[in-house]
Amino acid sequence: MNGGSRRAAVVLLSGGLDSATVLAYARREGVAVHALSIDYGQRHRSELEAARRIVEHLGAEEHRVVRVDLRAIGGSALTDEAMAVPTAPTAGIPPTYVPARNTVFLALALGWAEVLDLRDLYIGANVLDYSGYPDCRPEYLRAFEALAQLATRAGVEEGARFRIHAPLLTLSKAEIVRLGFSLGVDYGLTVSCYRADEEGRACGLCDSCRLRRKGFLEAGLPDPTRYLLAPS
Amino acid sequence: MNGGSRRAAVVLLSGGLDSATVLAYARREGVAVHALSIDYGQRHRSELEAARRIVEHLGAEEHRVVRVDLRAIGGSALTDEAMAVPTAPTAGIPPTYVPARNTVFLALALGWAEVLDLRDLYIGANVLDYSGYPDCRPEYLRAFEALAQLATRAGVEEGARFRIHAPLLTLSKAEIVRLGFSLGVDYGLTVSCYRADEEGRACGLCDSCRLRRKGFLEAGLPDPTRYLLAPS
């Protein structure tokens, strides 16, 4: 169990608003953070640059970027250039849903946690101001915890239990923004937009931009997002 | 549910003996096979060439190779050149165990199945003549099925249930080899060895070679494996 007295964990860091807040939250809890970002062929690659900036800004023991080519299976507006990112609300689960993305991400986080002999994973999943993605829900996260024990050497040989921490799970976007401000997060460094350009500037129209803007508005806090279009 | 009358499935194909047998088995069952191989930075890269040969030999609707850089997290003799592959039996789970490998592989298979609107996944997992890897056991596979329903759009919107088929699960290696012969598998095309050279020639000493050789011996069938060292 990692021997030391300080708890350490793998923190999934996309480079967006939520995962930056989670990283700051874990640091505030005294966790030694091993930050993991995934280069999955996402359209908004500038979020990976944002992840690097966030680690510099908030601190971490280390930061790894693992490449997995989800473009090879496609099926999402984020990994298939032929599919458009909606710029207005859609019914049901939107086309920005990436099939099995969080399962791939958590599997990689679990693998790294096993290598590091850690038991705790942090993820920015949220089910209030979110896009309806199935793999953000609490029942999904609990099922992954159950799987993790059966999947691993530590689970089999030591009965280790892995824990997935999702501290933002039931917060509104405004509450997340307020939490981040209280933790000193500089949201100007983060990139949420699915259509962000190479400089990390936001479209202001996609689902992710809408949720983010709403968060700052409702929190009554200044929105540092650099929009390509002036907000309507 | 895929519309057509012919069942279709994603088949995980490493290029080794077991997964080639599974592909042949699925074909015999009349399944339209979408073969998926994973380039994870494995030491024995020649298994990926073997996978291509097997698809040519046995047939499939299509074959995709997805890259995921598990070398970035290491922790296994198969993904870290600094760790040696044992050439004699070891106690417990051996260092060739790749942390969370089957969880990563099944997650990618699940993602592709969702894109293709399929519900069936095939895997060559086996718990009789195997290396003790935790993520080959039936309880692990059942937990992944439970996760898959919660993880996916189809699971949430249609109540879809994904099924993981592991037809070799309780067969001995000799039974697998006999099954493959009866299905017309040319095992000379497959690569099992963890230390295989670029030509796919086997070391004859690693765990995977030992299990494979034992299978042919016990089945009383000719072993087409090309060994670098003469079998002792």
Side-chain angles (χ1 to χ4, degrees):
Chain A
M1 286 294 287
N2 197 35
S5 58
R6 190 170 170 217
R7 193 157 61 89
V10 172
V11 176
L12 279 165
L13 178 70
S14 68
L17 181 150
D18 293 336
S19 64
T21 310
V22 167
L23 197 158
Y25 178 90
R27 295 269 297 168
R28 165 75 67 92
E29 280 193 320
V31 171
V33 169
H34 299 261
L36 181 64
S37 300
I38 317 287
D39 176 353
Y40 62 97
Q42 59 268 59
R43 180 190 286 266
H44 50 313
R45 286 191 60 77
S46 53
E47 70 170 6
L48 293 168
E49 269 311 308
R52 288 190 192 91
R53 291 193 299 264
I54 292 159
V55 167
E56 265 181 44
H57 163 51
L58 296 172
E61 304 302 306
E62 59 179 324
H63 180 213
R64 298 251 173 121
V65 180
V66 173
R67 274 174 297 124
V68 50
D69 183 18
L70 293 188
R71 283 182 181 254
I73 59 172
S76 164
L78 298 190
T79 55
D80 180 349
E81 295 291 346
M83 291 172 70
V85 175
T87 51
T90 53
I93 296 170
T96 49
Y97 166 63
V98 180
R101 179 172 59 184
N102 277 354
T103 309
V104 173
F105 287 10
L106 284 170
L108 292 168
L110 177 65
W112 196 29
E114 234 202 327
V115 173
L116 297 169
D117 200 20
L118 305 180
R119 304 289 174 262
D120 294 278
L121 313 177
Y122 281 75
I123 187 168
N126 175 264
V127 289
L128 206 54
D129 286 324
Y130 85 131
S131 297
Y133 300 149
D135 48 3
C136 289
R137 299 170 304 147
E139 55 269 43
Y140 165 78
L141 299 174
R142 294 297 83 76
F144 196 93
E145 282 181 339
L147 183 80
Q149 192 181 7
L150 295 167
T152 53
R153 182 207 300 262
V156 169
E157 292 190 340
E158 304 163 30
R161 292 186 170 277
F162 291 84
R163 192 160 164 222
I164 299 176
H165 303 261
L168 313 184
L169 196 59
T170 57
L171 301 187
S172 70
K173 199 64 99 182
E175 288 170 325
I176 295 169
V177 167
R178 273 191 222 110
L179 172 63
F181 264 80
S182 78
L183 294 166
V185 176
D186 176 359
Y187 285 121
L189 301 176
T190 66
V191 170
S192 300
C193 175
Y194 292 141
R195 301 165 74 224
D197 70 3
E198 284 177 15
E199 319 273 286
R201 284 172 298 199
C203 77
L205 300 170
C206 71
D207 227 29
S208 193
C209 277
R210 274 199 307 278
L211 290 169
R212 178 177 168 120
R213 180 181 288 164
K214 177 169 166 281
F216 285 102
L217 276 175
E218 290 181 7
L221 287 165
D223 181 352
T225 312
R226 294 169 300 146
Y227 291 105
L228 284 162
L229 295 172
S232 54
Chain B
M1 284 292 287
N2 197 36
S5 57
R6 190 171 172 218
R7 193 158 59 89
V10 172
V11 176
L12 279 165
L13 178 70
S14 68
L17 182 151
D18 293 336
S19 65
T21 310
V22 167
L23 196 159
Y25 178 91
R27 294 271 295 168
R28 166 75 67 90
E29 279 193 321
V31 172
V33 169
H34 299 262
L36 181 65
S37 301
I38 316 288
D39 178 353
Y40 63 95
Q42 59 268 58
R43 178 190 287 265
H44 51 315
R45 286 192 59 77
S46 53
E47 71 169 7
L48 292 168
E49 270 311 307
R52 287 190 191 92
R53 291 193 299 265
I54 292 158
V55 167
E56 264 180 44
H57 163 52
L58 296 172
E61 303 302 305
E62 59 179 324
H63 180 212
R64 298 251 173 122
V65 181
V66 173
R67 273 173 297 123
V68 51
D69 183 18
L70 294 188
R71 282 180 183 256
I73 59 173
S76 164
L78 298 190
T79 54
D80 179 350
E81 296 291 345
M83 289 173 73
V85 174
T87 51
T90 52
I93 296 171
T96 50
Y97 167 64
V98 180
R101 181 173 57 182
N102 278 354
T103 309
V104 173
F105 287 10
L106 284 170
L108 292 169
L110 177 66
W112 196 29
E114 233 201 329
V115 173
L116 296 170
D117 200 20
L118 305 180
R119 303 290 174 262
D120 293 278
L121 313 178
Y122 281 76
I123 187 168
N126 175 264
V127 289
L128 207 53
D129 287 324
Y130 85 131
S131 297
Y133 300 148
D135 48 2
C136 289
R137 299 171 305 147
E139 56 268 43
Y140 166 78
L141 299 174
R142 294 298 81 78
F144 195 93
E145 281 180 339
L147 183 80
Q149 192 181 8
L150 294 167
T152 53
R153 181 208 301 262
V156 169
E157 291 191 341
E158 304 162 29
R161 292 186 170 276
F162 292 84
R163 190 159 164 224
I164 298 176
H165 303 261
L168 313 184
L169 196 60
T170 57
L171 301 187
S172 70
K173 199 63 100 183
E175 288 171 324
I176 294 168
V177 167
R178 274 192 221 108
L179 173 63
F181 265 78
S182 78
L183 294 167
V185 176
D186 176 359
Y187 284 121
L189 301 177
T190 65
V191 170
S192 299
C193 176
Y194 292 142
R195 300 165 75 223
D197 71 4
E198 284 178 13
E199 320 273 287
R201 283 173 299 197
C203 76
L205 300 170
C206 71
D207 227 29
S208 193
C209 278
R210 274 199 308 276
L211 290 169
R212 179 176 167 120
R213 180 181 287 163
K214 176 169 167 279
F216 284 104
L217 275 174
E218 290 181 5
L221 287 166
D223 181 353
T225 311
R226 295 169 299 146
Y227 292 105
L228 284 162
L229 295 172
S232 51

